[in-house]
Amino acid sequence: MLIVDAHIHLFSPEIQAHRDRYAAHDPFFGYLYSSPKARMVSVTELLADMDAAGVDKVVAVGWPWQRGDICREQNDWLMAVTRRHTDRVIALGTVQPLDGPAAVAELRRCVEGGLAGVGELNADGQGFRLDDSGFLSVARAATDMGVPMLLHTNEPVGHVYPGKGQLSLADVYAFIKATPELRLVLAHWGGGFPFYELMPEVRAAARNVFYDSAASPLLYTPAIFRTVIDLVGTDKVLFGSDYPLILYPKRQKMPSFSPLLDEANSGGVPAAALADVLGRNAMRVYSTS
Ligand SMILES: [Zn+2]
């Protein structure tokens, strides 16, 4: 069975060596990554952790930078990583949607350079609204190019944590209705959006919407896997971890793919859905070929 982690974060050696400099340019990054406790791994560490846990491929994203030039620099590095590790690493490009036409041009450059789509974009972190014209033009360009977008979403209720934003599910729904043909992955279980797919008109509008499980154990009990699969179907759920984030702080010391994979494998995901959720769906959504 092919195992794909559809949501991990990678940072270039340059960013890892100069966190402070990047933090000075980007308050949202600084807020979450100024502390050296916020994990970053090298590509070598990533591949070793993948091998240790039996993960075949990852979908790697960088950071949703506020500045277009830093997005570009990151995209260049991610393109080089995917060229060197074509069989293991699929990567997405980031853009600053507020740059409008320049963001669209950068997305085109990313796709031509072998990146599989755009994301993880973050409205709160990058300071855009889902109805901004620049963001909509990026979404339409992705639709026209036939590539997916990974969008950060989070729950409107529950505990507060660093990085939890204000994005409303009503805004997410308006965006889905505005771009119904876009292959859209809502990260972190869509912030609860799957529940509304029980409404027939929402389900119809969200026919190209998918959900990933990134950071799941920090937010939900393991029942979330079967519950969302029940709500939206086997083919719309993608296993993703948010690696190298520590998902089980009480018992996990180092980044690892294994604990969440174990959670999914040991009853979290119904047996009949495992092959789709742990790999096939990610390949359907993110495959570049
Ligand atoms: Zn996220």
Side-chain angles (χ1 to χ4, degrees):
M1 188 167 79
L2 185 77
I3 307 288
V4 183
D5 188 322
H7 186 143
I8 73 141
H9 289 273
L10 265 189
F11 292 94
S12 70
E14 181 71 12
I15 294 170
Q16 296 198 34
H18 303 286
R19 282 196 204 204
D20 295 355
R21 200 172 77 208
Y22 288 89
H25 292 312
D26 194 298
F28 184 57
F29 174 76
Y31 174 52
L32 288 164
Y33 277 92
S34 283
S35 161
K37 281 190 191 148
R39 304 282 178 153
M40 293 178 179
V41 296
S42 67
V43 174
T44 309
E45 289 168 306
L46 164 69
L47 294 171
D49 284 347
M50 289 169 69
D51 290 341
V55 173
D56 297 294
K57 292 175 195 281
V58 291
V59 178
V61 304
W63 187 252
W65 300 103
Q66 292 175 1
R67 274 176 46 172
D69 59 334
I70 305 182
C71 289
R72 214 153 33 240
E73 173 193 316
Q74 172 173 268
N75 296 335
D76 281 337
W77 180 73
L78 284 170
M79 283 181 218
V81 172
T82 57
R83 270 196 294 272
R84 230 174 298 133
H85 304 282
T86 318
D87 50 334
R88 307 300 299 278
V89 181
I90 296 166
L92 308 182
T94 48
V95 298
Q96 167 52 281
L98 295 173
D99 291 347
V104 170
E106 176 60 9
L107 172 57
R108 184 158 295 118
R109 192 183 74 90
C110 288
V111 173
E112 285 165 1
L115 299 186
V118 58
E120 179 184 18
L121 298 186
N122 188 313
D124 288 291
Q126 295 181 290
F128 64 84
R129 291 175 44 97
L130 297 191
D131 60 358
D132 276 337
S133 61
F135 179 65
L136 290 172
S137 63
V138 167
R140 291 195 183 106
T143 309
D144 292 344
M145 284 183 260
V147 296
M149 173 188 286
L150 172 61
L151 180 68
H152 175 89
T153 47
N154 52 225
E155 331 68 50
V157 299
H159 63 284
V160 176
Y161 48 84
K164 182 158 175 164
Q166 304 293 319
L167 191 65
S168 90
L169 294 185
D171 289 350
V172 171
Y173 183 45
F175 173 59
I176 289 168
K177 282 194 294 182
T179 57
E181 300 309 322
L182 172 68
R183 212 144 82 240
L184 176 67
V185 182
L186 299 178
H188 317 292
W189 298 116
F193 196 85
F195 177 74
Y196 298 100
E197 285 213 19
L198 293 176
M199 300 173 80
E201 75 278 23
V202 176
R203 181 159 183 84
R207 62 190 176 278
N208 290 310
V209 175
F210 301 81
Y211 305 90
D212 79 32
S213 63
S216 193
L218 296 172
L219 306 169
Y220 298 95
T221 69
I224 188 76
F225 279 97
R226 27 179 93 243
T227 304
V228 175
I229 290 166
D230 224 33
L231 287 168
V232 302
T234 300
D235 52 351
K236 295 188 33 140
V237 174
L238 280 60
F239 175 82
S241 65
D242 235 355
Y243 170 98
L245 191 64
I246 301 294
L247 299 178
Y248 303 84
K250 289 203 178 104
R251 58 185 169 92
Q252 184 189 359
K253 291 279 168 281
M254 298 297 289
S256 171
F257 291 97
S258 298
L260 186 60
L261 259 183
D262 291 347
E263 182 178 312
N265 269 314
S266 59
V269 177
L274 276 171
D276 283 322
V277 171
L278 293 188
R280 266 193 233 139
N281 293 342
M283 294 313 288
R284 280 195 276 263
V285 171
Y286 289 117
S287 180
T288 46
S289 52

